[in-house]
Amino acid sequence: HAKAAGRNTFAVFGSHMEEVLRRRRVLETDLESALETRTQLAVHFQPVYSAKDGRMSSIEALCRWRHPTFGTISPDVFVPIAEECGLIQALGLYVMEEACSLLADVPDCGVGVSVNASAIELMSPGYSLRVLSILSKFGIHPSRLEIEITERMATDADGKAAAAIKALRDAGVRFAVDDFGKGTSSFGQLLNLDVDRIKIDKMFVDQLHHGGGLPLVEAIVQMARHKGLQTTAEGVETADQRETLTSLGCDSLQGFQLSKPLNRHDTMHLLSQHESRMNSARFSGDRSD
Ligand code: C2E
Ligand code: MG
Ligand code: MG
Ligand code: MG
């Protein structure tokens, strides 16, 4: 009996593995054509707000894929696939172009854009030149772009990512370490990076009021300030978290409590409202509302 059961389990497991692999190959092929036609892909933008005065300070570009049969697929699923099958450069370029063209389509209201980049992209030859040429194609000043990288690449020893980061920072592009604290590197290692901002991972924000996250966030903010780095808290979902993060001295806040990611149309609407509010503030003698 045990033997038969074992064999059956193996058979079931085998066909399950086959199914997983088959689906994976389908996704690779479909992602490749999605990148060619660009019809199933979209870029959404999540606003980031200044903690001090509540003003929108930037928007983060987040890629979306609506698959015709599987429905919406999370970037947590398709970005790793793109990395493994050589499509991440094309994906990164697509998102960078969407982000810059959005900024070019609205009046400059001082809002910048941040774009996530994977380690493989950053280490690929010519990355910095490609980014700078997209910026100039859309007439966007490099200082309006922030590139979000992960700890993994920020602490890599081989220097390829570091060279790209240096070239872009020299041109005025800013860098942030995303998901700060989630990985295995030490704070000391992380704080010696050549970046402008750290984004405090949602995990710490979740544990602010339950689970002892508060002293950790406090320490991160203090260390960042000591190094002259800006801080953004990710995944802010409650008014309590928002208040506590503001009182701890966090510079910017991002999360569903403030705004979910918006499609391109709604983002443009939000940015033009922002622009007209800034104008009326100027006309009324800079009184803020
Ligand atoms: P990330 O860069 O850390 O982006 C934050 C993620 O958290 C986004 O998920 C966002 O929608 C979600 N989020 C924001 N506020 C809240 C909140 O209050 N609560 C909760 N539960 N979630 C919140 P999303 O869009 O699914 O992206 C997941 C990850 O995929 C991103 O994490 C980023 O690492 C990666 N990704 C997304 N777009 C791109 C891209 O264009 N290129 C690359 N290389 N990676 C991307
Ligand atoms: Mg990010
Ligand atoms: Mg993050
Ligand atoms: Mg994340």
Side-chain angles (χ1 to χ4, degrees), residues 60 116 148 178:
E60 176 176 5
N116 295 283
E148 298 189 7
D178 206 350

Side-chain angles (χ1 to χ4, degrees), residues 88-243:
I88 193 66
Q89 277 91 349
L91 181 68
L93 286 183
Y94 163 69
V95 175
M96 190 65 76
E97 290 203 336
E98 283 292 304
C100 291
S101 82
L102 180 99
L103 287 191
D105 280 355
V106 291
D108 182 357
C109 52
V111 170
V113 71
S114 57
V115 174
N116 295 283
S118 101
I120 297 169
E121 262 179 278
L122 227 99
M123 293 187 296
S124 74
Y127 176 76
S128 54
L129 288 177
R130 284 196 297 277
V131 171
L132 294 175
S133 90
I134 293 172
L135 286 168
S136 87
K137 172 176 160 193
F138 290 97
I140 305 300
H141 194 273
S143 64
R144 295 185 70 196
L145 173 67
E146 190 162 278
I147 296 177
E148 298 189 7
I149 60 178
T150 57
E151 320 184 348
R152 186 181 130 221
M153 114 184 61
T155 50
D156 90 330
D158 93 338
K160 268 190 226 149
I165 295 173
K166 185 176 185 316
L168 287 166
R169 285 192 91 220
D170 285 349
V173 174
R174 299 160 57 86
F175 278 83
V177 181
D178 206 350
D179 305 337
F180 185 91
K182 198 177 161 188
T184 50
S185 2
S186 74
F187 282 2
Q189 265 178 302
L190 284 169
L191 288 165
N192 281 325
L193 297 170
D194 262 348
V195 296
D196 305 279
R197 173 187 308 279
I198 55 183
K199 297 192 74 171
I200 302 167
D201 194 70
K202 179 179 190 307
M203 175 183 78
F204 295 112
V205 174
D206 286 341
Q207 293 170 1
L208 260 187
H209 299 282
H210 329 268
L214 196 141
L216 283 171
V217 173
E218 193 169 25
I220 295 171
V221 171
Q222 292 303 318
M223 285 193 279
R225 185 170 289 170
H226 180 70
K227 294 276 181 182
L229 306 177
Q230 299 276 109
T231 47
T232 299
E234 296 190 276
V236 181
E237 290 181 344
T238 69
D240 280 353
Q241 291 170 348
R242 186 177 174 170
E243 258 170 52

Side-chain angles (χ1 to χ4, degrees), residues 38-66:
R38 293 189 170 185
T39 48
Q40 298 163 16
L41 294 173
V43 177
H44 286 195
F45 297 89
Q46 186 178 32
V48 178
Y49 295 88
S50 155
K52 209 170 51 205
D53 58 16
R55 264 198 205 166
M56 195 194 335
S57 48
S58 65
I59 51 177
E60 176 176 5
L62 295 162
C63 194
R64 298 288 176 260
W65 182 15
R66 229 170 38 216

